[in-house]
Amino acid sequence: MSRFPQSTVLGYPRIGPRRELKRALESYWDGTATRQDLDRVGAELRAATWRRLAELGLDGLPSNTFSLYDQVLDTAVLLGAVPERYRGAADPYFAMARGTEGLAPLRMTKWFDTNYHYIVPEIGPETVFKLDAAKPLAELREARALGFETRPVVVGPVTFLLLAADPGAALERLDDVLACYEELLGVLAAEGVAWVQLDEPALVQDRTPGELAAVRAAYDRLGSAAARPGLLVTAPFGHLGEALPVLAATPVEAIGVDLVRGGLDGLDALAGKTVVAGVVSGRDVWRTSPERAAHALRAVAEHAAQVVVGTSCSLLHVPYDLEAEPGLDPALKARLAFAEQKVAEVVALARGGFDGPAPAVRPAPEPAPVVRDERGPYPVRAAAQAAHLGLPALPITTIGSFPQTGELRAARAALAAGTLPAQEYERRVEAEIERVIRLQERLGLDVLVHGEPERNDMVQYFAEHLDGFAVTANGWVQSYGSRCTRPPILHGDVSRPEPITVRWARHAQSLTDRPVKGMLTGPVTIVAWSFVRDDLPLRDVVFQVAAAVREEVRDLEAAGVSIIQVDEPALRELLPLRQAARAGYLEWAVAAYRRATSGVADRTQIHTHLCYSDADQILDAIDGLDADVTTIESARSGARILDAVGSFGRGLGPGVYDIHSPRVPSSAEVETLLRRTLAALPAERVWVNPDCGLKTRTYAQVEAALANVAEATGRLRAELTRDAG
Ligand code: GLN
Ligand code: ZN
C-alpha cells in the first residue's frame, strides 16, 4: 500500500467562487445553454480547484467531489439505483433532482445537521444495482491530464443505504450494493489509483447492533477485495463512538476522524492505522487555533501508524475565499478562514510539525439561565386574547411573506448599489405593504401580515440590523442544487441598537382595522442559519439573541401590535445527532424562545411557526415553546402530523396549502384537510393557514389558493355555528 499524502481536505466547494455553476445550471435548465456549455463550466471549475489546492501546497487532492447537483444522487447513479419511473426521462439525473413533466422529483432533506440538502435515494427489494463508474473515472482522468494524481471520493455504502427513504428495506440490500463497491474498487485499482475515500457520516449517529454489524460486514468485505486501492473511511460531524472499534477492527488502512466536533476520546482504537486527523473545521469560518490543532495531532500520533493533517469534513459547507470580502472589518477578518485559508492551515500544520505549547483549558460553561414564567397560564391568556381580538372561529392567517416581486429585488439591489435613494426605496416597500394588506382584506383573511417585502432573507435581515453580526458580499454556501445562501457571521456579543421591524409593522397596522401580525425570526433560527462564534457555548449565544428579540417583541407590543409571530423553522435542525444530547438541547432552546417571547401582556397573542415534515418527533418541545398559536407544515406531508396533535395544548394551525408546489389546491381539498384537523383538535383551538411563507409563489397562485382556503373555511364556520345553535 503506498503511503498516504501528508495533508488533505475531505472535499471542496463546487458551486464556483462567483457561483459559476449556479448560472450554468440555470441556463441549461431554462434552455438558454446546451449540455456542452454546462459540462465546460464544470470542467473549468474542477480544473481551477485542483490547481488552487496544489498551488496552496496540499499534496492529497480529492476528486469526484464535484457534483452537478448532489453527491448522494451521484452515488445512486454510480450504483445504477435510478428508480424505474425516471429511466425514460430526457435527462434522468435532473428529473430525479428537480422533477420533470408529470414526474415529481425524489425527496430532498438535510444532510446531517448541516444546511446542505441531499436527494433521498429510493432503495427497495426491486432496485437493480449495476455499477456505472463513468463519473469518478472521468474526473480521475481529467485530473491526470492536468498533471494531478487524485483520490476519488464516494459516499460509503452504509451511509448511502441509511439515507434512503426506507433505511430498513435499503439495508437489506447491503450485499448487492457491496458487490458494486467491490467492482468499483477493482476498476479504480486497474486505473492505478492509490487511495479511495468512502464517506460514512452516518456512523457518528446512534447505531443499532444490526447496523454496526453491517459496518463490520461492509468493511471486512471491501477490505478483503482482491485488487483494490487503499481505503480511507471518513466519519465527519461527530465522534464515531461505538462504531470506532468496529471500523478499526476491519482491514481499512485509513480512518478520517472529526477531532473538532468529536474530541479526543478513544483514539487508542486507531492503533496501527493511518489517521486523517480532522483538526481544521469544515463547519465554521474561524481560523484554527494552532495550539489546539497541534495538541490533537500529538494525541493521534501516540497511536496512529501515520498522522495526516486534514479537515473535519468536506469544505463544502464554507465559502471559497476570504479575499473576496474587501468590505469586512480587518480585525474580524484576522479571525476568519474560508475554504482557501483552511487549506493553507492544513498545509502549514502538516509542514510545521506538531510541537508547541498546550492549549489553554476552556472554562466550564455557566449553568443555564433560569427562565421564569412571566405570562399567565394558557387558558387565562386565551380568554384575554379572545376578548381583546374578537376573532371569528377558525381564524385565517398566513405565515408572513407574500411573493417577492422582481421589481422589489431590483429596488433592493439598487439601494445597496447607491443608485436608489433610501426614501424612494422605503416608499416602494410601503406601497407593496399596502397592496398586500388590501389583497388580504379582499380575500377575507382575519389576521393579516405586512408581507415582509423589506427582507432579503429572514435571518440575514435581522443580522444586518443587530450588533455582533457581519454579512459577506460573496460568502455563498451551497444549500441544494443551484441554491446558495450567504450565512451571516455572528462574531461578537449580540445586541439591538434600535428597533428593527416596528416602523413597517406600524405602517401596516395603520392601513387596516384587522389585526396585523408583527413578524420576527426566533433566536434558535437566527443562530442556526449563521456561522457562530465558538468561544462561547452555543446556548449562551442563543440567549443573547433571545434578549435582542425580546426587546423587539416588547417594542412591537408598545407600538400597538396585538399579535406577534416569532418563527423557529430551524428548531429541529440544531437537534444533536446523538439521542443522549437531545433533551438537554431542547431544554435550553425552548427556554431561549420563552425568554424572547414572554415579555408581553397576556392579551398579546404570540404565534410561532415551524416547517418540517417530522415535527411529530418534537411535538412536546413545540408545545413547551408555550406560544398561543403554532402554525406548522402539514399539507405537504399528507397531514401526517394530525395523528400526533391530540395532546397539543394550545392554538394550532396545521397547513392546508402546500406552498412548495405551484399547484393551487381546490376548496374541496382544503375542506377535507380542515375536517381532519377538526376531528383531531377542539374547534376553538384550530387556525387556518398555509404550510409556510408565500414568497416563492406568484401572486396569481397565492390569490387563487387563498380564495379557496377562505371559501372552505366559510363553509365549515357555517356548520360550526349551526351545530352550536
Ligand atoms: N415568516 C417567514 C415567511 O413567511 C417564515 C419562513 C420559514 O418558515 N422558513 O417567509
Ligand atoms: Zn415555514
Side-chain angles (χ1 to χ4, degrees):
M1 200 70 23
S2 73
R3 202 173 154 78
F4 203 93
Q6 283 308 305
S7 59
T8 195
V9 296
L10 302 192
Y12 210 68
R14 55 216 183 189
I15 202 75
R18 290 285 176 276
R19 289 184 295 162
E20 291 85 346
L21 182 60
K22 173 190 178 68
R23 295 214 187 82
L25 281 167
E26 290 173 1
S27 306
Y28 171 63
W29 292 337
D30 70 21
T32 56
T34 64
R35 179 67 197 219
Q36 283 78 359
D37 297 332
L38 174 60
D39 290 337
R40 187 178 32 77
V41 172
E44 283 167 7
L45 289 171
R46 291 188 291 272
T49 295
W50 289 317
R51 286 207 181 95
R52 189 65 189 137
L53 293 180
E55 211 169 80
L56 288 164
L58 198 75
D59 57 355
L61 303 187
S63 62
N64 201 40
T65 59
F66 178 83
S67 180
L68 285 175
Y69 204 94
D70 165 47
Q71 71 272 13
V72 180
L73 181 59
D74 292 342
T75 310
V77 171
L78 173 82
L79 301 171
V82 175
E84 191 54 45
R85 63 188 186 281
Y86 295 104
R87 289 175 183 266
D91 187 331
Y93 183 84
F94 287 123
M96 287 189 281
R98 315 175 59 232
T100 181
E101 206 60 54
L103 206 51
L106 288 172
R107 243 174 16 92
M108 182 168 76
T109 192
K110 296 220 172 188
W111 174 247
F112 300 89
D113 58 354
T114 75
N115 222 333
Y116 174 80
H117 302 67
Y118 69 92
I119 299 290
V120 180
E122 276 179 17
I123 307 292
E126 72 298 338
T127 307
V128 181
F129 296 101
K130 186 172 185 312
L131 181 72
D132 173 3
K135 179 177 180 291
L137 279 178
E139 286 195 25
L140 185 77
R141 290 170 184 161
E142 197 177 81
R144 279 185 177 162
L146 297 165
F148 302 115
E149 196 49 41
T150 60
R151 175 183 80 247
V153 178
V154 177
V155 177
V158 179
T159 293
F160 176 75
L161 293 175
L162 288 172
L163 291 180
D166 180 348
L171 213 51
E172 297 277 312
R173 304 298 312 275
L174 182 64
D175 279 342
D176 302 311
V177 161
L178 288 176
C180 283
Y181 277 86
E182 232 168 25
E183 192 186 338
L184 172 67
L185 295 182
V187 168
L188 294 175
E191 283 284 310
V193 169
W195 288 92
V196 171
Q197 174 180 328
L198 298 176
D199 290 330
E200 292 283 13
L203 303 191
V204 308
Q205 293 176 299
D206 300 323
R207 301 276 56 125
T208 64
E211 290 162 352
L212 290 173
V215 174
R216 183 177 308 116
Y219 288 101
D220 275 342
R221 175 160 170 195
L222 296 183
S224 32
R228 63 165 178 89
L231 284 174
L232 163 64
V233 178
T234 75
F237 309 140
H239 195 285
L240 274 161
E242 290 184 307
L244 177 56
V246 174
L247 192 59
T250 69
V252 307
E253 289 80 12
I255 298 183
V257 286
D258 181 340
L259 298 174
V260 180
R261 287 274 198 100
L264 304 179
D265 288 344
L267 296 178
D268 52 328
L270 294 165
K273 300 284 182 190
T274 290
V275 177
V276 175
V279 290
V280 170
S281 173
R283 290 295 297 277
D284 64 36
V285 290
W286 309 110
R287 286 180 62 166
T288 306
S289 146
E291 292 83 37
R292 216 165 272 288
H295 174 70
L297 292 166
R298 285 195 300 273
V300 174
E302 274 181 41
H303 307 285
Q306 185 196 354
V307 184
V308 179
V309 181
T311 51
S312 65
C313 62
S314 167
L315 294 174
L316 178 68
H317 311 289
V318 297
Y320 274 86
D321 186 9
L322 192 56
E323 293 316 313
E325 303 297 334
L328 281 183
D329 171 25
L332 172 61
K333 235 170 140 170
R335 297 166 53 200
L336 299 177
F338 290 0
E340 285 216 3
Q341 289 70 38
K342 285 174 184 282
V343 173
E345 289 181 332
V346 166
V347 172
L349 282 163
R351 288 184 179 162
F354 315 149
D355 293 336
V361 180
R362 290 194 183 172
E366 307 277 319
V370 178
V371 177
R372 279 169 288 110
D373 266 329
E374 297 162 86
R375 306 181 78 206
Y378 174 71
V380 174
R381 291 180 342 232
Q385 290 160 18
H388 180 51
L389 296 168
L391 295 170
L394 308 181
I396 310 173
T397 192
T398 59
I399 307 307
S401 59
F402 267 69
Q404 281 256 343
T405 59
E407 294 89 63
L408 220 48
R409 267 192 268 267
R412 192 156 33 246
L415 175 75
T419 56
L420 185 74
Q423 268 190 352
E424 173 58 17
Y425 173 71
E426 289 172 12
R427 203 192 53 72
R428 292 193 198 173
V429 170
E430 285 183 356
E432 186 67 15
I433 290 175
E434 173 142 25
R435 149 164 143 158
V436 171
I437 294 283
R438 297 291 167 250
L439 171 62
Q440 295 170 89
E441 287 182 329
R442 214 168 348 111
L443 289 164
L445 309 195
D446 303 296
V447 171
L448 312 192
V449 296
H450 79 292
E452 305 179 20
E454 78 286 11
R455 300 184 192 175
N456 39 9
D457 170 275
M458 66 185 289
V459 167
Q460 175 148 358
Y461 180 74
F462 288 94
E464 281 171 357
H465 290 84
L466 290 169
D467 286 345
F469 283 91
V471 294
T472 67
N474 295 297
W476 297 102
V477 175
Q478 190 175 13
S479 170
Y480 65 91
S482 66
R483 295 277 197 125
C484 304
T485 64
R486 264 181 309 161
I489 300 173
L490 193 171
H491 59 83
D493 286 336
V494 174
S495 61
R496 188 197 67 147
E498 58 186 10
I500 301 169
T501 64
V502 174
R503 69 160 296 206
W504 305 118
R506 195 181 267 134
H507 176 72
Q509 188 61 80
S510 76
L511 298 170
T512 179
D513 292 335
R514 302 189 191 192
V516 182
K517 278 196 276 197
M519 202 60 59
L520 305 175
T521 303
V524 175
T525 299
I526 289 179
V527 167
W529 292 349
S530 301
F531 286 119
V532 183
R533 60 192 287 188
D534 62 354
D535 57 342
L536 277 186
L538 192 63
R539 182 198 69 196
D540 296 2
V541 177
V542 171
F543 268 91
Q544 284 187 7
V545 179
V549 174
R550 179 182 172 93
E551 290 173 17
E552 188 73 12
V553 168
R554 289 169 69 115
D555 281 344
L556 282 170
E557 182 186 53
V561 177
S562 322
I563 306 183
I564 300 164
Q565 177 169 313
V566 180
D567 292 331
E568 283 292 21
L571 181 67
R572 158 77 237 268
E573 199 170 306
L574 283 192
L575 206 60
L577 291 175
R578 297 241 182 221
Q579 199 66 42
R582 292 192 174 169
Y585 158 73
L586 285 172
E587 198 176 317
W588 64 248
V590 165
Y593 185 88
R594 290 171 74 144
R595 183 73 197 141
T597 53
S598 61
V600 293
D602 285 353
R603 68 168 202 184
T604 298
Q605 191 168 67
I606 297 291
H607 287 211
T608 191
H609 165 71
L610 306 116
C611 44
Y612 21 79
S613 51
D614 39 11
D616 42 338
Q617 291 170 16
I618 57 162
L619 209 62
D620 288 344
I622 297 173
D623 208 13
L625 297 176
D626 198 28
D628 300 299
V629 177
T630 300
T631 58
I632 197 157
E633 175 177 315
S634 174
R636 181 176 171 77
S637 45
R640 198 157 49 83
I641 181 92
L642 294 180
D643 300 332
V645 298
S647 61
F648 197 81
R650 23 216 107 240
L652 192 69
V656 291
Y657 162 26
D658 172 10
I659 57 84
H660 293 285
S661 159
R663 243 185 99 253
V664 171
S666 68
S667 77
E669 251 172 86
V670 174
E671 188 179 326
T672 307
L673 286 174
L674 277 177
R675 282 189 193 284
R676 288 183 58 188
T677 308
L678 285 166
L681 281 171
E684 63 277 9
R685 287 204 260 118
V686 174
W687 282 67
V688 182
N689 46 265
D691 269 359
C692 190
L694 305 169
K695 78 171 160 240
T696 55
R697 298 269 62 88
T698 66
Y699 268 107
Q701 292 159 355
V702 161
E703 276 197 61
L706 292 179
N708 290 345
V709 168
E711 196 184 300
T713 308
R715 282 201 292 271
L716 284 165
R717 262 183 205 156
E719 240 173 65
L720 287 174
T721 331
R722 209 169 49 233
D723 293 352

